[in-house]
Amino acid sequence: MRLRRYAVIIISILAGCGVPAPRTPRARAPIPSAAERVEEAVPLGRLPSDVRPERYSLALEIDPDQRGFQGEVSIHVRLAQSRKIVWLHGQGLSVEQAQVISAPFGRIQGRWQTVGGHGISKIELPRTIGPGLVELRIRYRAPFDTQLAGLYRVTHRNRGYAFTQFEPTYARKAFPCFDEPAFKTPFDVSLTIKRGHRAVTNSPELHRRELSNGLVRIRYATTAKLPTYLVAWAVGPLELVEAAPLPRTQVRKRKVPFRGVAVAGKGAQLAFALKHTGALIEALERYVGIPYPYKKLDVIAVPDFAAGAMENAGAITFREQYLLIDPKHASRDQLLKFYVIMAHELAHQWFGNLVTMYWWHDTWLNEAFATWLAARIVDEVRPELGAGLDQMLAGHYAMQRDSLLSARRIRQPILSDHDIHSAFDPITYNKGAQVIAMFEKWLGDVNFQRGLNTYLNKHKNGNARAEDLLLALSESAGKDVATPFRTFLHQSGIPMLSAGLVCKGRQASIRVTQSRYLPAGAHTKESSKWQIPLCVRYGSAQGVNQECFLMKDRSMEEPLSNEGCPDWMMPNAAGAGYYRWQLQEPDFRRLTQRGWRHLTSAERASYGESVRAAFFSGGLSASTVFEALQPLARDEEHAVAYQPMPILEFTREYLLDKDTIMAFSAYASALYRSSYRRLGWRSDRKALHDNPLLRSYVVRFMALVARDPKVRQEAAARAHAYIGFGGDGGLHPESMEPELRLIALAVATEEGDKAWFNALRKVLAKSEDAAVRQDVISALGFAQDPELAQYARSLTLDTGLRSNEAMLPLVYQMDSPEQRDATWRWIQEHFEELTQRLPERALGTLPWLTRKFCNADRAQKVRQFFEPRIDTLIGGPRHLVAALESINLCVEVVKLQEDKARNYFSRVRM
């Protein structure tokens, strides 16, 4: 590969940080013995533990206008015993020289070889070295990655930029390293870039030197101890927007330099993020009781980015739509995502960065805690956004995945690269967060917070395991937290609690039995049992009370503190428990008739989730469920009003026939019509009662599920006005609320012709706004005309789409019952092209797209296609197993509920 012929930069650890290198006296190496020539087995899992890096010095030359980059890495490593082979990672690197400097043998030339999948490499030496401290020096070249991993290149307005994404195992694509989270070391980084370009990394700039060949060499301060996956760079004609330093707080006695970073022309759009980030940091510091750990903070907007954001220490990267916010035109959902994602990545600066897991089976120590804490902090800083309720909905979504027998555990053993990538899923993030919330409620805020502070302080700048956290929580609470917590960490599935009141004279008790929740058609011989922190609320003559218990056995009966039989009982106080529940019939009636007005929004949403679970397990018949949905649909809280929607969407798609579909549409429209009339299409942002998220849920349901003709007509008219269709062809954001944009565009595309489709393509071609582009591309995926639908699918391979946008058309085409078969054929026909086009993370999810099939024959065809290819899709095996199980369970639910649903809608009159 041709690269610009600049001199290779050679920089040792001496230049980077002033730490002395090992002595290099001249000595003649003895001839290796026969035993020393024995070949070591390739470490297919973790690297050998007897070689440990202690410091890196990185010198890279990065010009994003070229096809690749070059560099030299110096790594001080500690050998616990003598070695002839040093195993490490390097993927796609062209190594020009690999040396080991060792006293007393001096500079030894080694042979670099990549020998295993995903970058397992070795430096083989002519003789054994060690034990003790040695230095590895490796000079190399590499291409920029093409799939948004490692060090990759992005083009914006014909100008090149280079960004990094190293989590989970992509640092090895950018430099030779020990690419595992247990290896935390300081990094000394030096970047050589073009004059006129800017560069950002984890630590502040120390020194820059103008070179004679149009280049600039920049040296950065030594980082704190970091694992390789948290190292980051951004290079190119960037705009660096200096904000006021983050002020001192009660916890932090120093100011922190703070900047926003964006591609050229977008710096002004960072203003909102720079204004509102400080409050989140202050709230986080107040909660954890430890100052922000790093020397500076940069927040970086990346035009093409595979993840939503990445918590690199002191240099956090984001998709543009989550950081570049126009408050005048941003939807409530976009604002919520800004706050939650920003708080999530900032929470990682403590959970994951300051204290890092040893290995990927404890990914939950990073992701579950950042997810839980983000919602908590945003509720404190911006309570009107409802972050906690949204997180609870995400926990309910995790329950759907956790219902599968193939579901992974929160703390799943990691045996392969597939397992590492599968760990970044709703089980880790959202189930983990909900389990944390449940234990926090049981232990109490003060005990829980004190335990986390102890854990962070004890392990800061180091690594920790699950047991370290559980020990700190147990010590803080003064009781055994570890044992019950392990029952949720080490087994998959959801507890199902059957609860009821037992009243004898003036004494009342709660009686509870537990089992594993299973949807219809699921069977297992495994006997699951949890120790469950159970908090209940109940009403009596003395008022509303709450009590918490630890359920250790399969059944329990516990007395309540108040005398007399309660009027009602809610078995999931605050909706915080990670379990589903059902009540005996008399208790169910008392809850809905007497207790409903006392329930919090989270408790009403928990009720709705349990009704939905009963529908899919057969615990309640379809007709009973449809009657129970009405009070939920009328609710003014979006998290509650949403609960009937998945049930009704499933019913429309899978359970009805042409004779009942009209009655269903009338029922569905009537269910939400009063909310639709109250909310309309326009927001009154000054009104206290206005709920943009509820509006978006209701309008979407009315337009795309109930398919109300008047709502769809209004949607199409507003979509036409938005893009000036038939008029000036310009965007008119004032025509609708931003949270309704995708809904309106989708309806117009479903009903539109080629002229509309082409008009929407023109909007896409002209727009640089990531949020607008996402909605337009998604809307194109709603095409129903066969010719237009075929074109929508082909957009996935169109290089005019950013890599992180390419999957959107396929997602929406597979969601469409009318286009699903054609899209599945298209995926099979273009599979090889997709493997070249899509980012690695997206490729692994391809099997999951097939979960919407509901036919045993389809399941078999999906299996036959993917099984021979599945090892090439990182994370794919688990997605395939889950998709096949979902298809087969859908078949069982249809068998169970189809006749009941059709009977109900053949009789219903609206």
Side-chain angles (χ1 to χ4, degrees), residues 759-791:
L760 212 50
R761 287 173 55 195
K762 289 180 181 177
V763 173
L764 177 62
K766 291 188 291 186
S767 178
E768 292 183 358
D769 185 309
V772 171
R773 288 178 60 86
Q774 179 172 298
D775 285 349
V776 170
I777 295 167
S778 300
L780 290 168
F782 278 80
Q784 296 300 307
D785 174 86
E787 180 184 352
L788 299 180
Q790 177 73 6
Y791 178 80

Side-chain angles (χ1 to χ4, degrees), residues 648-670:
L648 296 172
E649 195 163 352
F650 182 92
T651 299
R652 181 185 184 95
E653 181 168 347
Y654 299 112
L655 301 183
L656 303 179
D657 54 19
K658 58 182 175 54
D659 296 325
T660 50
I661 196 72
M662 289 185 64
F664 167 85
S665 293
Y667 162 90
S669 292

Side-chain angles (χ1 to χ4, degrees), residues 246-368:
L246 298 171
R248 298 178 182 90
T249 65
Q250 293 177 342
V251 177
R252 176 174 33 82
K253 304 308 178 187
R254 60 182 175 86
K255 295 181 179 180
V256 175
F258 180 37
R259 299 182 300 186
V261 182
V263 296
K266 296 191 176 183
Q269 299 175 51
L270 291 160
F272 183 89
L274 296 178
K275 180 179 178 181
H276 295 283
T277 297
L280 296 172
I281 291 179
E282 185 176 353
L284 282 162
E285 288 180 323
R286 201 161 46 240
Y287 184 83
V288 300
I290 298 172
Y292 170 76
Y294 302 106
K295 296 175 182 177
K296 56 90 175 173
L297 175 62
D298 292 327
V299 292
I300 307 165
V302 183
D304 204 354
F305 191 54
M310 178 60 208
E311 66 268 20
N312 314 301
I316 305 172
T317 44
F318 298 80
R319 284 197 185 196
E320 283 188 337
Q321 61 263 46
Y322 301 141
L323 195 64
L324 305 182
I325 306 294
D326 176 359
K328 291 183 179 179
H329 297 111
S331 68
R332 180 67 68 89
D333 182 61
Q334 191 181 10
L335 291 176
L336 174 62
K337 283 178 178 172
F338 162 77
Y339 277 100
V340 169
I341 293 172
M342 179 63 79
H344 180 104
E345 305 310 324
L346 292 172
H348 271 310
Q349 306 305 300
W350 291 269
F351 291 95
N353 297 12
L354 184 66
V355 179
T356 308
M357 63 203 166
Y358 275 98
W359 186 237
W360 298 105
H361 53 220
D362 274 325
T363 299
W364 76 283
L365 287 175
N366 294 8
E367 301 300 348

